[in-house]
Amino acid sequence: MNTQTLRRSEAAMNARRANEDVAILLVEDEQDLLELLRYNLAREGYEVSTATSGEEALKAVRNESPDLMLLDLMLPGMDGLEVCRTLKSREHTSDIPVIMLTAKGEESDIVQGLEMGADDYVTKPFSPRVLLARINAVLRRREQGGDRQAASALHVGEISLDAARHEVIASGKRVDMTATEFKLLALLMSKPGRVFTRQQIIESIHDGFAAVTDRSVDVQVVSLRRKLGPSGNNIETVRGVGYRFKES
Ligand code: CA
């Protein structure tokens, strides 16, 4: 084994050790997928418990407090959205991060889930590697306090946003923008990688005067991208769901 390989395997081992304290509740009714995910999560060092129905999932969170829940949306009986809604409405479980596991073509469910407070989603079929990356991103955001919106300065990639000075610098150049565009950019940059639905964006940037519609969010995004020039590519459209700022 050369030094580089050795270092890499050491890093992997350290990551696994760090994951040992992280408890994940996996809720999935497809037995094959459940086993595949359980295997992959355990291999990464996570402490995994499982549930195969919504009712079972809610019972499980009463007994143990997972650090994260992977929640299939299509479940027999109580579905994933109902589980998410219940979880987020109860004080002692509302903070548990949720990543939804969804099938293609369930955009309206994804939107509902995100608006209910789910942190992220992955669309089936997905590779375990993609899921692990999402889990890491959600846990990392939580660790950083999640909401960096209150921070006065945000730096992601080539873009810096200074709330106190109401200033945006993209690729070294100052960018003039409207108050709404500024709020929109601050929201997206506060959680890189996190998808925001149009409704969430409206609620966040609404100033109480202008009537904001889904369509006007799209218009704001177009304008924002244009003003940011090449850095505008950081604002990604998530088809049928909303927008997100690319993770650097
Ligand atoms: Ca299912």
Side-chain angles (χ1 to χ4, degrees):
M1 215 188 277
N2 65 34
T3 328
Q4 210 182 359
T5 321
L6 197 66
R7 229 177 264 141
R8 224 177 286 142
S9 72
E10 253 174 48
M13 213 148 72
N14 288 338
R16 267 201 297 280
R17 236 176 255 140
N19 290 345
E20 274 168 20
D21 297 328
V22 179
I24 294 182
L25 176 61
L26 167 62
V27 189
E28 172 61 66
D29 63 316
E30 281 163 61
Q31 205 60 41
D32 291 352
L33 186 56
L34 184 87
E35 288 309 327
L36 175 75
L37 293 178
R38 191 217 302 262
Y39 171 79
N40 278 282
L41 292 166
R43 201 176 57 170
E44 291 298 308
Y46 291 113
E47 193 186 299
V48 191
S49 56
T50 59
T52 53
S53 72
E55 289 82 356
E56 209 183 303
L58 290 177
K59 207 178 287 171
V61 292
R62 268 201 295 273
N63 301 328
E64 56 200 280
S65 179
D67 296 296
L68 184 137
M69 187 190 275
L70 294 175
L71 178 62
D72 182 29
L73 280 198
M74 295 280 275
L75 292 167
M78 183 185 226
D79 71 7
L81 284 178
E82 193 57 41
V83 174
C84 189
R85 187 182 295 123
T86 308
L87 211 62
K88 295 294 170 183
S89 68
R90 293 179 182 165
E91 204 189 333
H92 65 290
T93 57
S94 63
D95 280 344
I96 300 171
V98 173
I99 298 179
M100 301 180 286
L101 311 178
T102 71
K104 265 210 177 73
E106 284 180 351
E107 273 94 0
S108 66
D109 288 343
I110 293 169
V111 169
Q112 267 194 64
L114 291 172
E115 284 169 2
M116 248 172 242
D119 288 75
D120 205 351
Y121 67 92
V122 284
T123 308
K124 294 176 187 175
F126 53 82
S127 76
R129 202 172 47 82
V130 166
L131 180 65
L132 291 169
R134 296 295 178 84
I135 291 172
N136 273 325
V138 167
L139 292 173
R140 201 168 53 235
R141 281 204 294 268
R142 288 277 157 154
E143 219 166 75
Q144 289 165 347
D147 199 347
R148 284 190 282 159
Q149 216 180 336
S152 70
L154 297 167
H155 308 279
V156 186
E158 289 282 274
I159 305 179
S160 304
L161 179 144
D162 189 330
R165 302 168 68 173
H166 199 86
E167 192 176 70
V168 175
I169 309 280
S171 307
K173 276 192 222 145
R174 208 197 124 108
V175 183
D176 287 317
M177 48 182 72
T178 66
T180 307
E181 288 162 356
F182 190 87
K183 277 192 216 165
L184 171 59
L185 183 61
L187 174 69
L188 297 175
M189 282 179 71
S190 69
K191 292 178 184 175
R194 161 70 145 113
V195 182
F196 290 92
T197 68
R198 290 177 175 79
Q199 190 54 39
Q200 286 173 323
I201 292 172
I202 290 169
E203 275 161 24
S204 172
I205 67 178
H206 197 282
D207 57 9
F209 299 102
V212 189
T213 60
D214 279 15
R215 179 78 193 107
S216 72
V217 170
D218 298 341
V219 172
Q220 297 285 353
V221 169
V222 169
S223 164
L224 189 54
R225 276 196 189 123
R226 190 172 41 78
K227 288 186 179 181
L228 291 171
S231 306
N233 293 335
N234 286 292
I235 301 171
E236 299 179 319
T237 303
V238 184
R239 250 193 125 103
V241 181
Y243 295 100
R244 78 171 153 227
F245 199 90
K246 212 186 275 175
E247 258 180 304
S248 57

